[in-house]
């Protein structure tokens, strides 16, 4: 069947992205090293920027909205924050759609940030008391605590998922929804995270992950799980796609 104009456009876009990703994968390690070293050098600068912002807030008696808080976090820790702005509503909704609100058990969210995906989960019918939010950034944790007081908030490193949640979860999780910038981590860490998440869930439960990349951030050669991808969400900036991984029953 001949391709429609949007399909042709999408195919062309994907081809261009793939061309960009080949050199990216070749130099990924080197680039990562350079970014980390830049990150360290930026540390002093970002502390000064942070202090200036605080002075500005005090002087004007204002608080910053989520976009500015996010940008500030990205300036401080680009690799950990992984995006310059919170996810858009369409992307958040697309992620939440993979969680069945009628399922049983906690819903774990990794890297909720200022809470756009959390909000979409709640709007989709997941009770806030079922949410277990794992966030690294203390400033985001304070926001989440105010917005979702009924949720269980865990301030910590999601890559130590087993240690963080093993004793906290009283029953298998219904889903794990992740906005972590997985691609900035070595492959073995990503694979360990997904395996640990599968161990906390019942077989068949979804591990939901968004990415700006063309390729799946979890290698599909990992055995014992299925993977499906959503359409690219063009209206998110940058356009993103949702991947869902499920452990085979
Ligand atoms: C790309 S942002 C997504 C935030 C939000 N869910 C959204 O969609 O706008 C990634 C989030 O993951 C958090 N994060 C990054 N590494 C983490 C880690 N190892 N453990 C817990 N949270 C982490 C960051 O602080 C940030 O809030």
């Amino acid at each position: 069947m001949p391709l429609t104009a949007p399909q042709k456009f999408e195919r062309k876009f994907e081809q261009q992205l793939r061309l960009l990703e080949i050199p990216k994968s070749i130099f990924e390690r080197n680039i990562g090293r350079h970014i980390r070293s830049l990150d360290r050098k930026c540390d002093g600068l970002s502390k000064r920027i942070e202090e200036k912002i605080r002075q500005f807030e005090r002087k004007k008696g204002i608080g910053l909205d989520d976009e500015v808080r996010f940008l500030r976090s990205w300036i401080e820790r680009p690799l950990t924050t992984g995006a310059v702005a919170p996810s858009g509503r369409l992307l958040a909704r697309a992620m939440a759609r993979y969680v069945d609100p009628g399922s049983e058990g906690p819903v774990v969210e990794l890297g909720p940030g200022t809470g756009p995906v959390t909000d979409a989960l709640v709007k989709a019918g997941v009770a806030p008391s079922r949410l277990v939010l794992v966030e690294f950034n203390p400033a985001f944790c304070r926001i989440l605590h105010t917005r979702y007081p009924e949720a269980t908030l865990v301030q910590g490193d999601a890559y130590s998922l087993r240690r963080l949640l093993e004793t906290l979860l009283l029953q298998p999780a219904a889903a794990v929804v992740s906005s972590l910038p997985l691609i900035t981590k070595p492959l073995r860490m990503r694979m360990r995270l997904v395996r640990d998440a599968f161990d906390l869930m019942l077989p068949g439960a979804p591990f939901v992950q968004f990415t700006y990349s063309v390729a799946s951030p979890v290698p599909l050669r990992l055995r014992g799980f299925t993977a499906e991808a959503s359409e690219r969400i063009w209206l998110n900036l940058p356009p993103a796609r949702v991947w869902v991984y499920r452990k085979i029953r």
Side-chain angles (χ1 to χ4, degrees):
M1 213 168 52
L3 295 178
T4 61
Q7 281 170 330
K8 276 188 196 151
F9 176 73
E10 169 146 21
R11 189 164 284 185
K12 208 160 201 159
F13 181 83
E14 300 272 329
Q15 272 167 356
Q16 295 299 327
L17 275 183
R18 238 175 233 124
L19 284 177
L20 288 174
E21 290 217 346
I22 295 166
K24 192 185 117 208
S25 68
I26 295 170
F27 295 114
E28 201 170 47
R29 242 185 262 161
N30 280 343
I31 290 168
R33 232 191 343 253
H34 284 306
I35 294 177
R36 271 189 289 278
S37 119
L38 198 65
D39 209 12
R40 279 194 295 274
K41 285 183 193 150
C42 282
D43 217 30
L45 177 66
S46 61
K47 280 199 184 111
R48 288 205 293 279
I49 294 173
E50 171 80 1
E51 185 46 36
K52 289 275 176 227
I53 294 174
R54 253 193 235 121
Q55 280 171 6
F56 179 78
E57 278 179 314
R58 278 198 298 269
K59 207 163 132 193
K60 301 281 178 194
I62 56 165
L64 299 174
D65 64 16
D66 288 356
E67 278 74 15
V68 182
R69 282 179 221 273
F70 215 91
L71 185 61
R72 178 203 276 188
S73 167
W74 181 79
I75 290 169
E76 287 170 5
R77 293 264 168 272
L79 281 184
T80 308
T81 306
V84 291
S87 293
R89 226 173 289 161
L90 284 180
L91 173 58
R93 251 190 261 154
M95 292 181 82
R97 214 170 288 139
Y98 289 101
V99 179
D100 175 4
S103 57
E104 280 192 14
V107 173
V108 178
E109 191 187 345
L110 309 179
T114 53
V117 179
T118 325
D119 189 53
L121 286 166
V122 172
K123 285 197 174 120
V126 176
S129 57
R130 289 177 66 196
L131 293 170
V132 177
L133 310 175
V134 182
E135 173 56 58
F136 201 65
N137 182 322
F140 290 162
C141 284
R142 282 193 292 276
I143 297 174
L144 293 165
H145 178 64
T146 314
R147 291 184 184 166
Y148 307 99
E150 291 167 55
T152 304
L153 184 58
V154 181
Q155 187 185 338
D157 181 2
Y159 293 93
S160 304
L161 200 61
R162 186 186 288 266
R163 186 178 53 74
L164 287 182
L165 300 189
E166 208 164 37
T167 52
L168 189 78
L169 298 188
L170 301 177
Q171 63 184 121
V176 174
V177 182
S178 162
S179 312
L180 298 174
L182 281 194
I183 215 83
T184 62
K185 294 290 179 194
L187 214 55
R188 69 185 155 74
M189 280 181 80
R190 294 182 231 164
M191 287 162 70
R192 196 184 61 203
L193 176 80
V194 176
R195 284 206 187 96
D196 285 353
F198 282 154
D199 287 345
L200 295 171
M201 297 190 283
L202 288 174
F207 181 101
V208 184
Q209 172 74 48
F210 87 77
T211 183
Y212 304 125
S213 293
V214 172
S216 161
V218 175
L220 299 178
R221 62 175 186 275
L222 194 71
R223 292 218 182 131
F225 80 108
T226 63
E228 63 179 290
S230 75
E231 293 291 310
R232 189 169 285 280
I233 296 146
W234 293 98
L235 290 181
N236 195 72
L237 281 176
R241 160 167 293 164
V242 181
W243 281 89
V244 183
Y245 311 105
R246 295 172 201 270
K247 187 166 146 184
I248 292 170
R249 288 171 200 265

